């Protein structure tokens, strides 16, 4: 966290991730799950994951990183698919029938067992299957450890088959902790008196030379930050913006950030709103 932001929001944070993913490549989703695991293990942070539609395969790998007791799914959400898929299209026979002979050079007998052009031998198919089994076992261990599950063989035989389950059945199987939609859960937190902030996706870009991020606005809460923000605005030059006012408010500890800057000789009225 940036200095000054965490104390302004609160010492104890619950981060709600609304996850919707059918999965993807092992490398990408494994890394994403590792990042969520790191976040979950941060002091005084509770990571809640809500699945309204689907968390399957790599998506469930990510979802399973929720703080124990904090993985929720909607009644008709699709959850699970703890399995591994490897596939390719092999054109060797078609090429051979048309008199085309692919030339494949590789070093290392285990390199790329599933080829698109060359012949795939039974030994290479077995090798690819072994690789898939290793990944599958790692997937199962990751889930059982993160979810604090016993991972008995009977349980694995039922849920770690690549099958998906609706929210209620997933809860009975221990894949999720509660059946509830994200909107219902957020409403509960609001009713309980918690301060709920929504993180808006921000795509850093340039508007006529001005580059700002939500962190720039948060840093504007101190004198140095305000000076930095105003300097960036002034880089636009005269005749661009009339007013930057009431950009946002983050709790009573933070107070309101109000910047009003007037420029003369406006050729046209343009309003830019930055929200974090």
């Amino acid at each position: 966290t940036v200095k000054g932001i965490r104390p302004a929001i609160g010492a104890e944070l619950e981060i709600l991730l609304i996850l919707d993913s059918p999965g993807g490549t092992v490398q990408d989703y494994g890394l994403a799950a590792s990042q969520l695991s790191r976040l979950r293990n941060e002091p005084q942070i509770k990571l809640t994951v809500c699945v309204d539609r689907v968390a399957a395969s790599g998506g469930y790998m990510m979802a399973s990183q929720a703080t124990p007791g904090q993985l929720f799914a909607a009644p008709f959400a699709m959850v699970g698919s703890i399995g591994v898929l490897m596939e390719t299209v092999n054109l060797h026979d078609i090429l051979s029938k048309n008199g085309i002979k692919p030339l494949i050079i590789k070093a290392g007998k285990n390199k790329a067992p599933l080829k698109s052009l060359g012949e795939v031998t039974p030994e290479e198919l077995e090798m690819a299957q072994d690789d898939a089994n290793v990944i599958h076992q790692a997937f199962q261990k990751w889930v059982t450890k993160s979810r604090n599950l016993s991972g008995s063989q009977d349980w694995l035989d039922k849920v770690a088959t690549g099958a998906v389950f609706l929210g209620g059945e997933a809860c009975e199987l221990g894949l999720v902790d509660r059946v509830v939609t994200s909107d219902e859960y957020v409403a509960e937190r609001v009713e309980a008196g918690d301060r709920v902030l929504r993180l808006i996706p921000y795509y850093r870009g340039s508007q006529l030379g001005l580059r700002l991020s939500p962190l720039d606005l948060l840093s504007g809460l101190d004198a140095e930050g305000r000076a930095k923000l105003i300097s960036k605005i002034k880089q636009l030059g005269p005749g661009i913006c009339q007013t930057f006012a009431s950009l946002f408010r983050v709790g009573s500890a933070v107070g309101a950030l109000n910047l009003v800057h007037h420029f003369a000789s406006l050729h046209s009225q343009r309003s830019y709103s930055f929200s974090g």
Side-chain angles (χ1 to χ4, degrees), residues 137-175:
Q137 292 172 6
F139 192 172
Q140 296 174 56
K141 290 180 180 179
W142 185 272
V143 169
T144 54
K145 180 180 179 181
S146 301
R147 297 283 301 148
N148 291 328
L149 298 171
S150 62
S152 67
Q153 193 58 50
D154 289 342
W155 185 86
L156 291 174
D157 289 342
K158 186 170 185 178
V159 304
T161 61
V164 294
F165 307 92
L166 292 179
E169 187 177 6
C171 188
E172 293 175 0
L173 292 170
L175 292 174

Side-chain angles (χ1 to χ4, degrees), residues 17-32:
L17 172 64
I18 302 176
L19 194 148
D20 181 11
S21 173
T25 63
V26 173
Q27 300 90 334
D28 291 338
Y29 279 82
L31 177 59

